Amino acid sequence: WVIRVDGTGFLTPSGRNTIMVGRSPCTPQGVSDSTTQITCTLPPPLAGHQVVTLENGTRSCRMWLF
């Protein structure tokens, strides 16, 4: 699975951000990531809605993945 997270204030390089989908880590790809967009890969999540959590040391965010 590949997801893209859009927002502001992401750290670069993108590996400095921690992204979780449910309990599964989502690994930043780093190729075209920036302070406003991160693309990451993860194993297929469990069925249903998943909480996506992004932390980067000074900020955190939670959102739903449908």
Side-chain angles (χ1 to χ4, degrees):
W1 277 60
V2 176
I3 64 168
R4 186 179 84 190
V5 181
D6 294 303
T8 60
F10 302 148
L11 298 178
T12 55
S14 59
R16 295 173 57 200
N17 301 278
T18 302
I19 303 170
M20 301 290 289
V21 177
R23 294 183 181 192
S24 299
C26 195
T27 306
Q29 294 181 337
V31 177
S32 61
D33 296 340
S34 67
T35 59
T36 60
Q37 183 181 90
I38 296 175
T39 302
C40 61
T41 58
L42 72 153
L46 298 173
H49 301 106
Q50 300 293 318
V51 174
V52 177
T53 304
L54 186 139
E55 296 181 1
N56 66 10
T58 59
R59 294 179 162 178
S60 65
C61 176
R62 295 183 73 173
M63 62 203 99
W64 287 99
L65 177 66
F66 296 97

